[in-house]
Amino acid sequence: MIHMATLFSPSALFSNSNNTATPTTARPPQTPPAAKTHLPFASTKSPIATLASTLAATAAAATLLSSSPPPALADPTFQIYYGTAASAANYGGYGGNSNKQDSAEYVYDVPQGWKERLVSKVEKGTNGTDSEFYNPKKRTEKEYLTFLSGFRQLAPKDVVLNNLALSDVDLQDLIASADQISSEETKDEKGQLYYTYEIDGVAAHSLISVTCANNKLYAHFVNAPTTEWNKDKDMLKHVHESFKTVGSF
């Protein structure tokens, strides 16, 4: 049977100019070109333009990231506190002294935004607390200083820490529940001896620095709940290390 495609083949309908039949070679059926498919959301930009747009977007994102302000604790600012360690009889307990810097016996840094808690004469006379500052967002995150008169030199480290705890109930509880207590001795450039303690408790963390000068024993405390310690560790260590007696810095 002759196929219909053969009957209507161009070679069957046309011949050369001499009307002489010329054998023809059958050509295979031609496949029509595939229609162009337009993908949805395909970019009409040239590769160079697309690359330029990508680079511009990347640069803009980098600019936004670099211009974003760093976390508050990445570059904290501090103010210097000048402590006079005055006796309870001469201690006003309210307001500042315009000559406080001239009569200061010790200094330490206070994070910006922390508030001072005014210490009463009674408290100063019973446990020797001379000054205290706290974080208003978390009042148990704080630093304070106590002093005792009549000490020319430091006793052994363990004895000093136990004596400090006798007049500080919170310190007693922290020591009793501590996972770890470490201590070391350091000397400044003038040879003054400091004891430093780090108490890692279940619920709180404490850094303590103790030294003797001016016939007094000074103890500087930096305390924080464990959650705050984990967030503010670098800042709190800075505060701890800033404590010095006047004449040793």
Side-chain angles (χ1 to χ4, degrees):
M1 180 180 292
I2 301 176
H3 293 283
M4 294 298 293
T6 303
L7 292 177
F8 291 97
S9 170
S11 61
L13 297 177
F14 298 97
S15 63
N16 61 14
S17 58
N18 294 324
N19 295 324
T20 304
T22 302
T24 59
T25 303
R27 297 180 180 178
Q30 299 297 312
T31 303
K36 294 183 179 180
T37 303
H38 297 280
L39 296 177
F41 308 111
S43 174
T44 58
K45 295 182 179 179
S46 67
I48 295 178
T50 301
L51 178 60
S53 299
T54 302
L55 292 176
T58 303
T63 301
L64 288 174
L65 290 175
S66 62
S67 61
S68 299
L73 294 179
D75 186 22
T77 54
F78 305 89
Q79 60 180 350
I80 299 175
Y81 176 77
Y82 297 91
T84 58
S87 65
N90 298 324
Y91 182 67
Y94 303 96
N97 186 335
S98 59
N99 296 321
K100 213 170 187 180
Q101 183 172 347
D102 296 335
S103 58
E105 294 187 9
Y106 65 88
V107 295
Y108 58 73
D109 287 350
V110 179
Q112 186 174 9
W114 282 30
K115 303 297 183 182
E116 182 175 8
R117 184 182 71 83
L118 298 179
V119 180
S120 67
K121 283 186 176 182
V122 174
E123 184 178 3
K124 186 178 180 70
T126 54
N127 58 22
T129 303
D130 189 64
S131 58
E132 182 176 318
F133 288 82
Y134 64 92
N135 182 352
K137 297 180 180 178
K138 189 71 175 181
R139 293 183 68 94
T140 51
E141 184 177 31
K142 60 185 179 180
E143 66 174 320
Y144 60 96
L145 184 132
T146 64
F147 78 96
L148 297 171
S149 299
F151 288 83
R152 293 184 177 274
Q153 62 183 13
L154 292 170
K157 292 194 298 293
D158 293 343
V159 174
V160 169
L161 184 60
N162 290 333
N163 287 341
L164 290 174
L166 291 177
S167 59
D168 191 328
V169 176
D170 292 336
L171 181 58
Q172 291 178 27
D173 293 340
L174 183 60
I175 292 174
S177 64
D179 292 331
Q180 182 178 356
I181 299 176
S182 60
S183 62
E184 63 176 344
E185 299 180 12
T186 60
K187 288 186 177 181
D188 63 15
E189 64 280 2
K190 294 186 177 182
Q192 183 169 327
L193 178 64
Y194 287 80
Y195 289 167
T196 58
Y197 305 89
E198 183 168 1
I199 306 173
D200 185 7
V202 175
H205 204 96
S206 181
L207 297 172
I208 308 170
S209 182
V210 184
T211 191
C212 280
N214 307 315
N215 201 31
K216 296 176 182 176
L217 182 145
Y218 302 88
H220 178 252
F221 299 80
V222 178
N223 296 343
T226 301
T227 53
E228 302 305 315
W229 166 258
N230 293 334
K231 292 190 299 183
D232 301 341
K233 183 185 302 183
D234 292 340
M235 179 268 286
L236 295 172
K237 284 185 175 181
H238 172 96
V239 171
H240 165 67
E241 294 167 358
S242 69
F243 165 67
K244 294 287 185 294
T245 59
V246 169
S248 62
F249 65 95

